[in-house]
Amino acid sequence: MNDNNIVLPKFYSEIKKDSEAISFSMPSDLQTGSLLRTLITTKKDGHFLELGTGTGLSLAWMIEGMNGNANLISIDNSSEYQSIAKKYFQESNVSFVCEDAEQWILNYKDSKFDLIFADAWPGKYVVLEETLNLLNSGGIYLIDDMLPQPNWPNDHDKNVDILIQDLEKRKDIQLTKMNWSTGLILITKI
């Protein structure tokens, strides 16, 4: 089995080219994207949240897994990065929010989510409890970059270790740690 033989979503190549033009160095990898597309597809008419739009590389996978009745909120604090995603995705079922995700999470009071992809500091290393509280029972929470990455700041491995230990202690989730892709943790809320 070759897990690198992956069909790319619409606009992926164009977004990647635009991302490289602005030296965006934090893309999700293809395997994470492919898994996201598959997980999104399991939640028909789902309500989804992406923490860390970046330039839209992971968003491309998520949108491709959505049906017409699903909706997605994608948050980033960089309008420069998010403008690339907006250039390609004007779907009415995708809402872009350009603000600090930590504050957004703390202030959000609307419907819970069927899937949250936390690809940013907020929702993963800060306000984790509040983020997990935004999940429906049976909802999916996915985080990546749990294996050492070249763009990690010094001593970031300690943050990752603490996060994993905290998640392993929880009784309100089921989790699977995957030594695959960039290091993924897949969680389902009980």
Side-chain angles (χ1 to χ4, degrees):
M1 175 175 66
N2 180 358
D3 66 351
N4 290 312
N5 187 15
I6 298 171
V7 177
L8 298 176
K10 186 177 180 182
F11 302 127
Y12 186 88
S13 297
E14 294 90 337
I15 296 168
K16 186 172 184 204
K17 183 178 175 186
D18 289 353
S19 300
E20 290 166 353
I22 64 166
S23 300
F24 180 75
S25 63
M26 301 173 281
S28 295
D29 77 354
L30 297 179
Q31 291 145 330
T32 300
S34 180
L35 179 61
L36 270 170
R37 175 174 55 196
T38 300
L39 292 173
I40 291 278
T41 302
T42 70
K43 304 291 186 181
K44 299 293 181 202
D45 303 339
H47 183 50
F48 308 115
L49 176 63
E50 178 184 39
L51 300 170
T53 310
T55 58
L57 289 165
S58 57
L59 181 62
W61 296 96
M62 296 174 77
I63 289 171
E64 192 163 287
M66 292 169 53
N67 72 14
N69 295 321
N71 65 74
L72 185 147
I73 299 171
S74 186
I75 303 172
D76 204 287
N77 64 0
S78 170
S79 60
E80 177 187 19
Y81 295 161
Q82 206 175 57
S83 68
I84 292 173
K86 287 180 175 181
K87 175 179 168 183
Y88 293 98
F89 302 115
Q90 298 297 320
E91 285 88 349
S92 60
N93 57 349
V94 177
S95 302
F96 291 97
V97 176
C98 188
E99 69 178 72
D100 178 72
E102 181 177 350
Q103 288 304 308
W104 187 91
I105 291 164
L106 292 172
N107 293 321
Y108 183 78
K109 304 291 184 233
D110 210 339
S111 303
K112 292 190 176 194
F113 295 95
D114 298 303
L115 180 143
I116 298 173
F117 177 46
D119 192 22
W121 195 270
K124 190 187 296 188
Y125 298 106
V126 295
V127 295
L128 175 65
E129 184 70 29
E130 293 84 352
T131 302
L132 292 174
N133 285 338
L134 297 180
L135 268 180
N136 284 317
S137 179
I140 296 169
Y141 172 84
L142 181 69
I143 52 177
D144 62 350
D145 301 334
M146 296 291 103
L147 294 173
Q149 301 297 308
N151 61 353
W152 276 10
N154 289 339
D155 296 327
H156 184 62
D157 57 319
K158 293 178 179 104
N159 297 319
V160 172
D161 291 342
I162 291 167
L163 173 62
I164 292 170
Q165 290 168 12
D166 289 347
L167 289 171
E168 289 174 332
K169 292 176 190 173
R170 295 186 72 99
K171 303 293 184 211
D172 61 338
I173 61 172
Q174 290 293 331
L175 69 82
T176 298
K177 296 176 285 183
M178 294 180 268
N179 190 16
W180 176 77
S181 180
T182 61
L184 305 176
I185 298 180
L186 176 65
I187 290 173
T188 301
K189 189 167 184 184
I190 296 175

